[in-house]
């Protein structure tokens, strides 16, 4: 079996795994409820002086599928954008806390959907949990998240709200005081006006554990 075949098999396995995780964690709740959860979480964290928050970031390279159900239009575009985590962390064991991110969607204006403009943006804020299969060893990890989402259409639809779920699987390499993490994930977002977004989202993160 060739190296290319091995890579494709591993990629397919990761994609199937994240799809199954997505089906498990996708929840139906309101934007107000998730916002309340975030506010309560941050209030608890800010009032606990003994807790040390860590700042982490990763860059996503997305394939964005947007389904306009009422118009019976299905489009796939590319996207790119960061996710920033502010959370409690035990390095190479687990992390839990707040996540904020933006996907800059490289889309043209559509004749079929005149109420959107070019280069939409998907803003998301929520909670993520990251945990490692073998604590302190690095290697394989999993990430789950729920989020409140805003699609900025830049057209007459304005800003559309909705809920989303995220599931990822990755591998983190340890280099002394630095971690280099590669991740494959899927995100599903259900928005107003019967719009559904599903992203396939490989990402890379460089984590300076001993510095901040």
């Amino acid at each position: 079996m060739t190296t290319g075949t091995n890579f494709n098999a591993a990629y397919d396995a990761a994609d199937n795994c994240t799809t199954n995780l997505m089906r498990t964690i996708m929840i139906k709740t309101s934007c107000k409820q998730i916002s309340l959860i975030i506010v309560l979480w941050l209030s608890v964290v800010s009032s606990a002086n003994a807790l040390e928050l860590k700042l982490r970031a990763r860059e996503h390279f997305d394939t964005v599928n947007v389904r306009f159900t009422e118009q019976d239009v299905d489009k796939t575009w590319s996207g790119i954008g960061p996710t920033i985590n502010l959370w409690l962390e035990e390095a190479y064991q687990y992390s839990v806390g707040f996540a904020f991110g933006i996907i800059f969607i490289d889309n043209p204006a559509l004749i079929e959907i005149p109420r959107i403009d070019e280069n939409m943006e998907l803003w998301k804020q929520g909670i993520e949990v990251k945990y490692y299969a073998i604590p302190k060893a690095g290697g394989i990890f999993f990430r789950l998240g729920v989020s409140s989402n805003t699609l900025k259409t830049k057209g007459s639809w304005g800003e559309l709200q909705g809920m989303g779920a995220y599931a990822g699987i990755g591998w983190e390499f340890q280099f002394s005081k630095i971690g280099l993490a590669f991740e494959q994930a899927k995100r599903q977002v259900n928005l107003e006006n019967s719009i559904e977004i599903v992203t396939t989202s490989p990402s890379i993160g460089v984590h300076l554990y001993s510095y901040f």
Side-chain angles (χ1 to χ4, degrees):
M1 185 177 290
T2 65
T3 301
T5 303
N6 285 330
F7 177 82
N8 290 334
Y11 182 93
D12 290 341
D15 187 63
N16 290 335
C17 181
T18 53
T19 299
N20 291 332
L21 285 170
M22 182 67 68
R23 290 170 180 169
T24 302
I25 68 172
M26 190 62 193
I27 59 174
K28 293 183 179 179
T29 185
S30 71
C31 295
K32 290 183 179 180
Q33 288 173 318
I34 192 66
S35 298
L36 178 60
I37 292 172
I38 294 170
V39 170
L40 291 175
W41 170 259
L42 293 179
S43 297
V44 170
V45 169
S46 62
S47 63
N49 295 327
L51 300 179
E52 295 184 1
L53 296 179
K54 302 295 184 181
L55 184 66
R56 302 287 177 243
R58 63 189 189 272
E59 184 70 18
H60 294 264
F61 306 91
D62 300 278
T63 300
V64 185
N65 178 263
V66 184
R67 173 68 178 170
F68 301 91
T69 303
E70 294 180 355
Q71 291 75 24
D72 194 25
V73 175
D74 197 334
K75 295 292 183 178
T76 299
W77 298 302
S78 61
I80 190 170
T83 295
I84 297 173
N85 293 106
L86 182 64
W87 57 9
L88 303 177
E89 176 183 88
E90 288 291 337
Y92 299 111
Q93 296 186 63
Y94 67 87
S95 306
V96 58
F98 179 72
F100 170 79
I102 306 172
I103 300 177
F104 299 99
I105 303 173
D106 184 19
N107 67 284
L110 295 177
I111 296 176
E112 309 99 304
I113 313 291
R115 284 160 291 193
I116 68 170
D117 206 345
E118 295 182 3
N119 302 317
M120 295 186 297
E121 298 173 4
L122 179 65
W123 291 59
K124 49 198 187 295
Q125 51 278 326
I127 295 173
E128 289 186 348
V129 177
K130 178 183 178 182
Y131 56 99
Y132 293 80
I134 304 176
K136 298 184 179 180
I140 192 169
F141 65 85
F142 305 93
R143 189 192 307 265
L144 301 176
V146 292
S147 61
S148 172
N149 298 261
T150 300
L151 179 65
K152 298 187 176 185
T153 68
K154 301 184 179 181
S156 61
W157 265 342
E159 297 183 356
L160 304 177
Q161 309 296 323
M163 295 302 303
Y166 178 98
I169 182 172
W171 189 278
E172 185 159 355
F173 298 92
Q174 297 187 53
F175 298 99
S176 183
K177 299 178 181 180
I178 298 175
L180 180 62
F182 297 91
E183 185 173 347
Q184 173 65 26
K186 279 195 173 180
R187 181 183 300 276
Q188 181 171 333
V189 179
N190 294 324
L191 297 162
E192 299 171 289
N193 295 349
S194 301
I195 297 174
E196 179 181 291
I197 296 177
V198 177
T199 70
T200 301
S201 183
S203 66
I204 183 171
V206 179
H207 308 312
L208 308 178
Y209 289 109
S210 296
Y211 299 99
F212 60 89

